[in-house]
Amino acid sequence: MSTKASDNADTGRTAAKATRVNLFGLDREAMAAFFREHGESAFRAKQVMQWIYARGVTDFSAMTDLSKALRERLPDIAEIRPPAKIREQKASDGTRKWLLAVTEDLDPDNAIEAVYIPEADRATLCISSQIGCALDCSFCATGKQGLNRNLTTAEIVGQVWMAEHDLRAQGLVHGERALSNIVFMGMGEPLANYRAVVPAIRILLDDFGFGLSKRRVTVSTSGMVPFMDRLREEVDVALAVSLHAPTDALRDELVPINRKYPLAELMGACDRYVQGKQRRAHVVYEYVLLNGVNDNPEQARGLVKLLADRPAKINLIPFNPFDGSGYTRPDEARIRKFQDILHNKGLRTTVRRTRGDDIDAACGQLVGRVRSKQKRHFRDVPIRVESKRAEPV
C-alpha cells in the first residue's frame, strides 16, 4: 500500500472511530432510536442495556442473545467506554476517591473526581457533572478551578459504571449492587448541565439501567431556579439545595448565584418541587458551617424562620479546609449550639460526619485537574426561558 493510501486508510479509521456512539450516553428511549436508525428492533435497547448495566459487559462479542451479524457490526458504530482511572486513593475511613480522565486521549489535565462513601446501611457514590464549576461559591475548592466544560451523559453515567464494576471486582458489594445511592454532589453544578444530567438520571432509575429508587438518587443545586422547576416536571428524584445562609446579604457573598435568584425565588422553587408529590417528600438543605461567618445563634434563628413551615431536612456540614479558602471550621461546641437551636424548634437536623478528608475527598474539597481555566461565573452563562422551559444558551 502506498504512503498516501495508508494515510487515507488511517484517516478513514479515525473518522469512523470518532463517529461511534458511546452507549453510556443513551437512555432507553435514545437507545431504542439508535437501533431503529440502524435497521434493528427497538427491543435491542433492553437487551444491550441489560448486558451493560446488569451484567457489566462492554464487549459486544459476548452479548450472546444478539445476532452474530449485529455483534460484528456494533464495534463499527458504537462503543461502551467508561472514564479511565488516573489515580485511586483510599482514606482511613474506607472512603475512596478516583481521579478520572474523561477524554479519549486520557488528558490528565482535564480530569474529574468521583468519591465512594461506604456506610453501614448504604454505599454512596458522589459523581461530577462538569469539569470545574462556574458558580464560584466562596467555600468550595471546585469553584476556584473555573469551568472547562460540561460532561456528556456518557461521561456522567460512565463514572457510576466504572465505580460499580471496580468495587464489585474487589468484593465490595452492598446488597445486589456495590452502590445503593448516587448523589450529584461532585465537581460542577448539575443543573447548569441539565441536558446531559437528566438522561443520566433516567439511566440510573431505569430497571434496565442501574434500577435505583427515586429516593436514592439526589441532585444538588446551588439554586438554578428555572431548572429546578423543569427537573420537577421531567424526573422525580431527591433534591438537595446548597443554602448556607439565612439572608440574601450573606448568601450573595457565599453563593453568588443568589444575586440572580434570591432567597424568595429559591424557596418558592423548593416549595413547588415537593408540592403534590404522592410520596412523603422534603428538600434537603445543605448548610456549610464557616467559623464566625454563618454559624452564630442569630443566623440559626434566621434559618428556623426561613424553614419552619417547610418540609425540610437540614444537613449541617462543618467546613472542610483547603488551601487559600480563608475560612476555618467551627469547634464542636459552636456546631452543637447551632444544631440545638434548630432541633429545639422542631427542624430535622443532622451534622454530616466528615469523610475522606485525609485524601481531600470531603464535601467542598474536590478539585480534579482543570486546564484552560476560564473562570466563568454564573452571570457569564446566560439562561433562556421559552414557554416556561429553561434552556442553556
Side-chain angles (χ1 to χ4, degrees):
M1 182 183 293
S2 69
T3 300
K4 183 175 181 180
S6 178
D7 290 344
N8 288 340
D10 289 341
T11 300
R13 282 193 292 270
T14 300
K17 188 173 183 180
T19 59
R20 289 190 302 170
V21 174
N22 190 341
L23 298 186
F24 281 134
L26 305 182
D27 60 21
R28 196 196 308 188
E29 182 178 344
M31 186 89 75
F34 170 80
F35 280 107
R36 285 195 299 267
E37 287 170 6
H38 290 280
E40 295 285 337
S41 167
F43 180 72
R44 297 300 187 195
K46 295 180 182 179
Q47 291 178 300
V48 172
M49 289 182 75
Q50 285 183 310
W51 281 108
I52 296 172
Y53 300 112
R55 302 181 180 118
V57 173
T58 58
D59 181 359
F60 293 121
S61 67
M63 299 180 181
T64 53
D65 56 356
L66 304 182
S67 68
K68 182 180 179 181
L70 179 57
R71 278 180 280 158
E72 292 176 348
R73 185 184 178 200
L74 277 172
D76 294 328
I77 59 175
E79 63 180 351
I80 305 169
R81 179 170 51 85
K85 286 191 295 182
I86 298 174
R87 183 175 67 245
E88 178 180 354
Q89 295 172 273
K90 300 177 184 179
S92 57
D93 61 11
T95 299
R96 297 177 183 225
K97 182 174 74 170
W98 293 278
L99 181 68
L100 304 172
V102 292
T103 55
E104 190 169 1
D105 61 2
L106 306 184
D107 180 0
D109 292 320
N110 278 319
I112 58 169
E113 292 181 329
V115 177
Y116 165 69
I117 308 165
E119 298 177 76
D121 61 341
R122 68 184 64 191
T124 300
L125 185 70
C126 176
I127 61 175
S128 296
S129 55
Q130 297 179 306
I131 303 177
C133 185
L135 296 195
D136 202 24
C137 296
S138 64
F139 49 83
C140 179
T142 306
K144 302 303 180 185
Q145 303 301 299
L147 174 67
N148 180 280
R149 66 170 174 85
N150 287 331
L151 295 181
T152 66
T153 297
E155 291 164 345
I156 295 169
V157 172
Q159 295 171 65
V160 184
W161 188 95
M162 181 282 305
E164 175 79 23
H165 184 268
D166 199 46
L167 294 167
R168 289 183 72 86
Q170 298 179 54
L172 298 173
V173 180
H174 184 95
E176 295 182 1
R177 286 190 172 274
L179 299 169
S180 64
N181 293 67
I182 304 297
V183 294
F184 285 80
M185 297 181 183
M187 296 174 63
E189 160 61 54
L191 297 189
N193 188 14
Y194 189 88
R195 290 175 181 171
V197 165
V198 167
I201 292 172
R202 292 194 176 114
I203 294 169
L204 294 175
L205 301 180
D206 196 318
D207 288 342
F208 289 94
F210 290 98
L212 294 171
S213 161
K214 296 174 181 179
R215 284 178 285 184
R216 293 187 176 272
V217 178
T218 301
V219 174
S220 177
T221 180
S222 294
M224 300 192 73
V225 168
F227 291 102
M228 292 169 66
D229 288 329
R230 188 172 170 188
L231 186 71
R232 184 190 184 281
E233 296 175 6
E234 296 195 26
V235 289
D236 182 13
V237 290
L239 180 71
V241 171
S242 297
L243 192 56
H244 311 307
T247 64
D248 281 321
L250 181 56
R251 197 165 190 269
D252 283 352
E253 177 185 339
L254 300 179
V255 187
I257 199 172
N258 194 73
R259 301 167 197 164
K260 187 176 184 70
Y261 304 114
L263 279 171
E265 293 185 36
L266 174 61
M267 300 315 297
C270 291
D271 293 342
R272 291 190 295 274
Y273 195 84
V274 298
Q275 189 174 23
K277 301 266 188 185
Q278 292 183 349
R279 59 180 173 82
R280 186 168 178 262
H282 62 265
V283 174
V284 175
Y285 294 94
E286 299 169 307
Y287 195 101
V288 170
L289 290 168
L290 306 165
N291 187 41
V293 176
N294 66 347
D295 64 340
N296 66 45
E298 180 183 354
Q299 288 158 335
R301 288 188 285 270
L303 194 56
V304 169
K305 184 177 180 180
L306 185 67
L307 300 179
D309 297 325
R310 293 184 159 96
K313 178 183 177 183
I314 304 166
N315 272 349
L316 299 178
I317 307 168
F319 175 66
N320 296 303
F322 60 89
D323 290 343
S325 69
Y327 296 118
T328 58
R329 181 186 302 187
D331 60 33
E332 288 300 318
R334 198 169 177 92
I335 293 169
R336 189 62 58 197
K337 185 173 183 179
F338 195 96
Q339 182 185 25
D340 286 345
I341 292 172
L342 303 181
H343 265 159
N344 292 339
K345 293 298 183 179
L347 291 178
R348 296 173 57 198
T349 308
T350 59
V351 177
R352 184 182 295 175
R353 184 163 61 95
T354 299
R355 301 291 303 271
D357 57 341
D358 53 337
I359 57 170
D360 292 331
C363 181
Q365 291 184 324
L366 301 188
V367 295
R369 294 180 185 171
V370 183
R371 189 179 61 188
S372 303
K373 300 174 185 176
Q374 301 172 38
K375 293 304 292 182
R376 295 170 66 198
H377 295 78
F378 72 93
R379 56 184 171 272
D380 302 318
V381 186
I383 294 172
R384 178 178 63 240
V385 180
E386 295 180 354
S387 302
K388 300 183 179 180
R389 296 180 69 81
E391 292 285 357
V393 175

